[in-house]
Amino acid sequence: MRGEISEGDEGLAALFEGVVSASGASDCWPDTLVDVAEWGDDTSFADQMAARRAAVTGEFDKIDAQAVDELARLYIFFGFGREAIQAFNIDGKNSRDRVAIAALAQIVDGD
C-alpha cells in the first residue's frame, strides 16, 4: 500500500515503482546503504566533489552509474538533498540503492 504522494515526490515514486516491479521481491537493505557518515570524510567539499565528478565520466566519456551514486551520496553527506536527487539525471538509471539515496535526500531537505 502506498501513501499519498505530493507533487514533488512523483519522480521518487516512479523510481521506487520501477525498482520494485523489476525485482519482483523485497528484501532487507544492507546498513551500508544508509550509513551517511561513511559517505565522505574531513577533506574539503571542493576536493571531494571534484574527485567524485571526475569519476562520473570515465574513458570515452562513458558514464559510470556507480560513480553517479557516489556523487549523490556525497551531496547528502554535505546536506544537499535536492542536488543528490538531481545527480541521478546524469544517467537516468533506477536501482534499489537510488531509492534509498533519494529517500535520504528528501529527509535531509525536510521534504
Side-chain angles (χ1 to χ4, degrees):
M1 179 157 85
R2 190 170 86 186
E4 293 296 315
I5 298 173
S6 70
E7 190 174 314
D9 295 334
E10 291 173 1
L12 179 60
L15 176 63
F16 182 73
E17 288 172 0
V19 171
V20 171
S21 65
S23 69
S26 63
D27 57 335
C28 295
W29 292 356
D31 292 341
T32 56
L33 199 54
V34 293
D35 192 4
V36 176
E38 293 296 318
W39 294 353
D41 57 41
D42 60 354
T43 58
S44 75
F45 172 79
D47 289 345
Q48 291 183 70
M49 190 57 59
R52 299 281 172 92
R53 286 181 178 164
V56 168
T57 54
E59 190 173 356
F60 306 112
D61 293 329
K62 184 177 180 209
I63 295 174
D64 180 341
Q66 180 63 34
V68 173
D69 290 356
E70 294 297 323
L71 176 63
R73 285 183 179 106
L74 186 65
Y75 275 124
I76 291 172
F77 178 81
F78 281 102
F80 297 102
R82 286 186 179 90
E83 291 79 359
I85 293 171
Q86 287 296 315
F88 296 142
N89 290 333
I90 294 171
D91 65 3
K93 295 187 179 189
N94 297 335
S95 72
R96 179 179 74 165
D97 287 6
R98 289 187 179 189
V99 170
I101 294 167
L104 287 171
Q106 288 187 322
I107 292 168
V108 165
D109 279 349
D111 294 339

